[in-house]
mmCIF file of all heavy atoms in Angstrom:
data_model
loop_
_atom_site.group_PDB
_atom_site.id
_atom_site.type_symbol
_atom_site.label_atom_id
_atom_site.label_comp_id
_atom_site.label_asym_id
_atom_site.label_seq_id
_atom_site.Cartn_x
_atom_site.Cartn_y
_atom_site.Cartn_z
ATOM 1 N N LEU A 1 11.402 -8.114 -4.905
ATOM 2 C CA LEU A 1 11.337 -8.275 -3.455
ATOM 3 C C LEU A 1 10.883 -6.977 -2.787
ATOM 4 O O LEU A 1 10.063 -6.987 -1.852
ATOM 5 C CB LEU A 1 12.702 -8.693 -2.920
ATOM 6 C CG LEU A 1 12.770 -9.076 -1.437
ATOM 7 C CD1 LEU A 1 11.747 -10.149 -1.099
ATOM 8 C CD2 LEU A 1 14.174 -9.530 -1.077
ATOM 9 N N THR A 2 11.364 -5.852 -3.272
ATOM 10 C CA THR A 2 10.943 -4.554 -2.742
ATOM 11 C C THR A 2 9.446 -4.344 -2.945
ATOM 12 O O THR A 2 8.737 -3.857 -2.053
ATOM 13 C CB THR A 2 11.727 -3.421 -3.437
ATOM 14 O OG1 THR A 2 13.121 -3.574 -3.165
ATOM 15 C CG2 THR A 2 11.254 -2.061 -2.943
ATOM 16 N N ALA A 3 8.961 -4.741 -4.133
ATOM 17 C CA ALA A 3 7.532 -4.588 -4.425
ATOM 18 C C ALA A 3 6.686 -5.456 -3.504
ATOM 19 O O ALA A 3 5.642 -5.013 -2.987
ATOM 20 C CB ALA A 3 7.265 -4.951 -5.883
ATOM 21 N N LEU A 4 7.125 -6.698 -3.258
ATOM 22 C CA LEU A 4 6.386 -7.586 -2.354
ATOM 23 C C LEU A 4 6.356 -7.019 -0.938
ATOM 24 O O LEU A 4 5.330 -7.053 -0.250
ATOM 25 C CB LEU A 4 7.039 -8.970 -2.340
ATOM 26 C CG LEU A 4 6.518 -10.042 -3.286
ATOM 27 C CD1 LEU A 4 7.320 -11.327 -3.101
ATOM 28 C CD2 LEU A 4 5.037 -10.309 -3.087
ATOM 29 N N THR A 5 7.504 -6.511 -0.514
ATOM 30 C CA THR A 5 7.599 -5.969 0.843
ATOM 31 C C THR A 5 6.736 -4.720 0.994
ATOM 32 O O THR A 5 6.044 -4.527 2.011
ATOM 33 C CB THR A 5 9.065 -5.636 1.173
ATOM 34 O OG1 THR A 5 9.853 -6.837 1.066
ATOM 35 C CG2 THR A 5 9.191 -5.075 2.581
ATOM 36 N N ALA A 6 6.740 -3.876 -0.021
ATOM 37 C CA ALA A 6 5.939 -2.647 0.022
ATOM 38 C C ALA A 6 4.454 -2.942 0.122
ATOM 39 O O ALA A 6 3.686 -2.161 0.710
ATOM 40 C CB ALA A 6 6.227 -1.799 -1.214
ATOM 41 N N LYS A 7 4.028 -4.075 -0.417
ATOM 42 C CA LYS A 7 2.624 -4.444 -0.365
ATOM 43 C C LYS A 7 2.271 -5.189 0.925
ATOM 44 O O LYS A 7 1.120 -5.604 1.113
ATOM 45 C CB LYS A 7 2.272 -5.297 -1.599
ATOM 46 C CG LYS A 7 2.307 -4.519 -2.900
ATOM 47 C CD LYS A 7 2.036 -5.442 -4.092
ATOM 48 C CE LYS A 7 2.075 -4.665 -5.404
ATOM 49 N NZ LYS A 7 0.934 -3.729 -5.521
ATOM 50 N N GLY A 8 3.274 -5.397 1.780
ATOM 51 C CA GLY A 8 3.016 -5.997 3.085
ATOM 52 C C GLY A 8 2.943 -7.510 3.079
ATOM 53 O O GLY A 8 2.355 -8.094 4.006
ATOM 54 N N PHE A 9 3.561 -8.159 2.113
ATOM 55 C CA PHE A 9 3.444 -9.620 2.023
ATOM 56 C C PHE A 9 4.723 -10.353 2.396
ATOM 57 O O PHE A 9 4.886 -11.529 2.063
ATOM 58 C CB PHE A 9 3.004 -10.029 0.611
ATOM 59 C CG PHE A 9 1.602 -9.609 0.276
ATOM 60 C CD1 PHE A 9 1.358 -8.671 -0.707
ATOM 61 C CD2 PHE A 9 0.523 -10.137 0.969
ATOM 62 C CE1 PHE A 9 0.067 -8.273 -1.016
ATOM 63 C CE2 PHE A 9 -0.766 -9.755 0.679
ATOM 64 C CZ PHE A 9 -1.002 -8.810 -0.316
ATOM 65 N N THR A 10 5.654 -9.670 3.068
ATOM 66 C CA THR A 10 6.849 -10.340 3.570
ATOM 67 C C THR A 10 7.038 -9.999 5.044
ATOM 68 O O THR A 10 6.493 -9.013 5.549
ATOM 69 C CB THR A 10 8.106 -9.905 2.789
ATOM 70 O OG1 THR A 10 8.351 -8.514 3.009
ATOM 71 C CG2 THR A 10 7.946 -10.167 1.302
ATOM 72 N N TYR A 11 7.822 -10.814 5.731
ATOM 73 C CA TYR A 11 8.156 -10.530 7.132
ATOM 74 C C TYR A 11 9.458 -11.231 7.495
ATOM 75 O O TYR A 11 9.863 -12.200 6.838
ATOM 76 C CB TYR A 11 7.036 -10.962 8.078
ATOM 77 C CG TYR A 11 6.766 -12.459 8.107
ATOM 78 C CD1 TYR A 11 7.408 -13.290 9.033
ATOM 79 C CD2 TYR A 11 5.858 -13.037 7.214
ATOM 80 C CE1 TYR A 11 7.154 -14.659 9.065
ATOM 81 C CE2 TYR A 11 5.596 -14.390 7.237
ATOM 82 C CZ TYR A 11 6.241 -15.199 8.162
ATOM 83 O OH TYR A 11 5.997 -16.541 8.181
ATOM 84 N N GLU A 12 10.129 -10.722 8.528
ATOM 85 C CA GLU A 12 11.380 -11.298 9.011
ATOM 86 C C GLU A 12 11.083 -12.253 10.164
ATOM 87 O O GLU A 12 10.301 -11.945 11.067
ATOM 88 C CB GLU A 12 12.318 -10.197 9.507
ATOM 89 C CG GLU A 12 12.761 -9.209 8.431
ATOM 90 C CD GLU A 12 14.008 -9.659 7.695
ATOM 91 O OE1 GLU A 12 14.539 -10.745 8.047
ATOM 92 O OE2 GLU A 12 14.442 -8.951 6.772
ATOM 93 N N ALA A 13 11.737 -13.401 10.133
ATOM 94 C CA ALA A 13 11.628 -14.372 11.221
ATOM 95 C C ALA A 13 12.770 -15.367 11.103
ATOM 96 O O ALA A 13 13.126 -15.784 9.985
ATOM 97 C CB ALA A 13 10.284 -15.102 11.189
ATOM 98 N N GLU A 14 13.357 -15.737 12.238
ATOM 99 C CA GLU A 14 14.431 -16.727 12.269
ATOM 100 C C GLU A 14 15.581 -16.330 11.338
ATOM 101 O O GLU A 14 16.150 -17.165 10.643
ATOM 102 C CB GLU A 14 13.890 -18.118 11.884
ATOM 103 C CG GLU A 14 12.767 -18.596 12.772
ATOM 104 C CD GLU A 14 12.157 -19.893 12.278
ATOM 105 O OE1 GLU A 14 12.802 -20.590 11.472
ATOM 106 O OE2 GLU A 14 11.029 -20.204 12.687
ATOM 107 N N ASP A 15 15.891 -15.031 11.320
ATOM 108 C CA ASP A 15 16.979 -14.479 10.501
ATOM 109 C C ASP A 15 16.759 -14.693 9.002
ATOM 110 O O ASP A 15 17.719 -14.672 8.214
ATOM 111 C CB ASP A 15 18.334 -15.106 10.898
ATOM 112 C CG ASP A 15 18.737 -14.732 12.308
ATOM 113 O OD1 ASP A 15 18.425 -13.599 12.732
ATOM 114 O OD2 ASP A 15 19.348 -15.582 12.981
ATOM 115 N N ALA A 16 15.520 -14.929 8.601
ATOM 116 C CA ALA A 16 15.199 -15.121 7.189
ATOM 117 C C ALA A 16 14.028 -14.213 6.809
ATOM 118 O O ALA A 16 13.310 -13.699 7.673
ATOM 119 C CB ALA A 16 14.839 -16.568 6.909
ATOM 120 N N LEU A 17 13.863 -14.019 5.514
ATOM 121 C CA LEU A 17 12.736 -13.231 5.003
ATOM 122 C C LEU A 17 11.708 -14.184 4.411
ATOM 123 O O LEU A 17 12.049 -15.038 3.573
ATOM 124 C CB LEU A 17 13.215 -12.241 3.929
ATOM 125 C CG LEU A 17 12.142 -11.274 3.412
ATOM 126 C CD1 LEU A 17 11.755 -10.279 4.509
ATOM 127 C CD2 LEU A 17 12.635 -10.528 2.176
ATOM 128 N N TRP A 18 10.449 -14.025 4.816
ATOM 129 C CA TRP A 18 9.394 -14.963 4.447
ATOM 130 C C TRP A 18 8.327 -14.284 3.597
ATOM 131 O O TRP A 18 8.067 -13.084 3.726
ATOM 132 C CB TRP A 18 8.724 -15.517 5.706
ATOM 133 C CG TRP A 18 9.632 -16.304 6.588
ATOM 134 C CD1 TRP A 18 10.659 -15.825 7.364
ATOM 135 C CD2 TRP A 18 9.607 -17.719 6.806
ATOM 136 N NE1 TRP A 18 11.265 -16.843 8.048
ATOM 137 C CE2 TRP A 18 10.645 -18.024 7.729
ATOM 138 C CE3 TRP A 18 8.808 -18.754 6.338
ATOM 139 C CZ2 TRP A 18 10.889 -19.310 8.162
ATOM 140 C CZ3 TRP A 18 9.049 -20.038 6.779
ATOM 141 C CH2 TRP A 18 10.085 -20.315 7.674
ATOM 142 N N PHE A 19 7.694 -15.087 2.740
ATOM 143 C CA PHE A 19 6.540 -14.644 1.954
ATOM 144 C C PHE A 19 5.276 -15.188 2.610
ATOM 145 O O PHE A 19 5.197 -16.372 2.945
ATOM 146 C CB PHE A 19 6.654 -15.150 0.512
ATOM 147 C CG PHE A 19 5.402 -14.989 -0.320
ATOM 148 C CD1 PHE A 19 4.736 -13.770 -0.366
ATOM 149 C CD2 PHE A 19 4.893 -16.057 -1.062
ATOM 150 C CE1 PHE A 19 3.585 -13.613 -1.124
ATOM 151 C CE2 PHE A 19 3.756 -15.909 -1.832
ATOM 152 C CZ PHE A 19 3.093 -14.692 -1.860
ATOM 153 N N LYS A 20 4.270 -14.330 2.781
ATOM 154 C CA LYS A 20 3.014 -14.733 3.421
ATOM 155 C C LYS A 20 2.136 -15.522 2.445
ATOM 156 O O LYS A 20 1.022 -15.132 2.110
ATOM 157 C CB LYS A 20 2.263 -13.499 3.915
ATOM 158 C CG LYS A 20 3.011 -12.685 4.956
ATOM 159 C CD LYS A 20 2.214 -11.438 5.359
ATOM 160 C CE LYS A 20 2.946 -10.594 6.384
ATOM 161 N NZ LYS A 20 2.179 -9.369 6.733
ATOM 162 N N SER A 21 2.628 -16.658 2.030
ATOM 163 C CA SER A 21 1.900 -17.433 1.012
ATOM 164 C C SER A 21 0.640 -18.084 1.561
ATOM 165 O O SER A 21 -0.269 -18.440 0.798
ATOM 166 C CB SER A 21 2.818 -18.500 0.409
ATOM 167 O OG SER A 21 3.383 -19.313 1.412
ATOM 168 N N THR A 22 0.536 -18.232 2.908
ATOM 169 C CA THR A 22 -0.680 -18.815 3.474
ATOM 170 C C THR A 22 -1.888 -17.904 3.255
ATOM 171 O O THR A 22 -3.029 -18.369 3.272
ATOM 172 C CB THR A 22 -0.514 -19.069 4.982
ATOM 173 O OG1 THR A 22 -0.030 -17.870 5.614
ATOM 174 C CG2 THR A 22 0.469 -20.196 5.239
ATOM 175 N N GLU A 23 -1.646 -16.616 3.045
ATOM 176 C CA GLU A 23 -2.758 -15.704 2.772
ATOM 177 C C GLU A 23 -3.379 -15.957 1.404
ATOM 178 O O GLU A 23 -4.443 -15.422 1.092
ATOM 179 C CB GLU A 23 -2.278 -14.249 2.869
ATOM 180 C CG GLU A 23 -1.875 -13.833 4.272
ATOM 181 C CD GLU A 23 -1.653 -12.335 4.397
ATOM 182 O OE1 GLU A 23 -2.060 -11.589 3.462
ATOM 183 O OE2 GLU A 23 -1.073 -11.912 5.410
ATOM 184 N N PHE A 24 -2.709 -16.793 0.616
ATOM 185 C CA PHE A 24 -3.201 -17.088 -0.738
ATOM 186 C C PHE A 24 -3.459 -18.581 -0.930
ATOM 187 O O PHE A 24 -3.456 -19.084 -2.049
ATOM 188 C CB PHE A 24 -2.188 -16.590 -1.772
ATOM 189 C CG PHE A 24 -1.906 -15.116 -1.675
ATOM 190 C CD1 PHE A 24 -0.822 -14.654 -0.940
ATOM 191 C CD2 PHE A 24 -2.753 -14.195 -2.277
ATOM 192 C CE1 PHE A 24 -0.570 -13.302 -0.825
ATOM 193 C CE2 PHE A 24 -2.499 -12.832 -2.168
ATOM 194 C CZ PHE A 24 -1.410 -12.381 -1.439
ATOM 195 N N GLY A 25 -3.667 -19.285 0.172
ATOM 196 C CA GLY A 25 -4.071 -20.682 0.085
ATOM 197 C C GLY A 25 -2.963 -21.700 0.204
ATOM 198 O O GLY A 25 -3.228 -22.905 0.148
ATOM 199 N N ASP A 26 -1.700 -21.271 0.360
ATOM 200 C CA ASP A 26 -0.606 -22.220 0.515
ATOM 201 C C ASP A 26 -0.665 -22.831 1.912
ATOM 202 O O ASP A 26 -1.206 -22.230 2.851
ATOM 203 C CB ASP A 26 0.727 -21.504 0.285
ATOM 204 C CG ASP A 26 1.874 -22.466 -0.005
ATOM 205 O OD1 ASP A 26 1.614 -23.687 -0.086
ATOM 206 O OD2 ASP A 26 3.021 -21.996 -0.157
ATOM 207 N N GLU A 27 -0.082 -24.007 2.073
ATOM 208 C CA GLU A 27 -0.159 -24.704 3.353
ATOM 209 C C GLU A 27 0.726 -24.071 4.423
ATOM 210 O O GLU A 27 0.493 -24.243 5.630
ATOM 211 C CB GLU A 27 0.220 -26.177 3.173
ATOM 212 C CG GLU A 27 1.616 -26.394 2.614
ATOM 213 C CD GLU A 27 1.895 -27.860 2.326
ATOM 214 O OE1 GLU A 27 1.004 -28.695 2.583
ATOM 215 O OE2 GLU A 27 3.004 -28.161 1.843
ATOM 216 N N LYS A 28 1.752 -23.355 4.025
ATOM 217 C CA LYS A 28 2.610 -22.652 4.976
ATOM 218 C C LYS A 28 3.332 -21.512 4.264
ATOM 219 O O LYS A 28 3.421 -21.488 3.029
ATOM 220 C CB LYS A 28 3.615 -23.605 5.616
ATOM 221 C CG LYS A 28 4.606 -24.218 4.633
ATOM 222 C CD LYS A 28 5.551 -25.162 5.354
ATOM 223 C CE LYS A 28 6.564 -25.776 4.387
ATOM 224 N NZ LYS A 28 7.522 -26.666 5.086
#
């Protein structure tokens, strides 16, 4: 999780931590 965050692919929203999977073709 630290590695993902360091690369800028996570963010906080709605009191949860999210993965930016849409940047890799996921629907959300």
Side-chain angles (χ1 to χ4, degrees):
L1 187 54
T2 298
L4 266 180
T5 301
K7 291 176 180 291
F9 292 114
T10 65
Y11 64 92
E12 297 272 359
E14 302 174 18
D15 295 326
L17 185 69
W18 297 71
F19 169 49
K20 299 178 181 178
S21 54
T22 51
E23 293 191 13
F24 302 95
D26 198 3
E27 59 186 359
K28 64 181 181 178

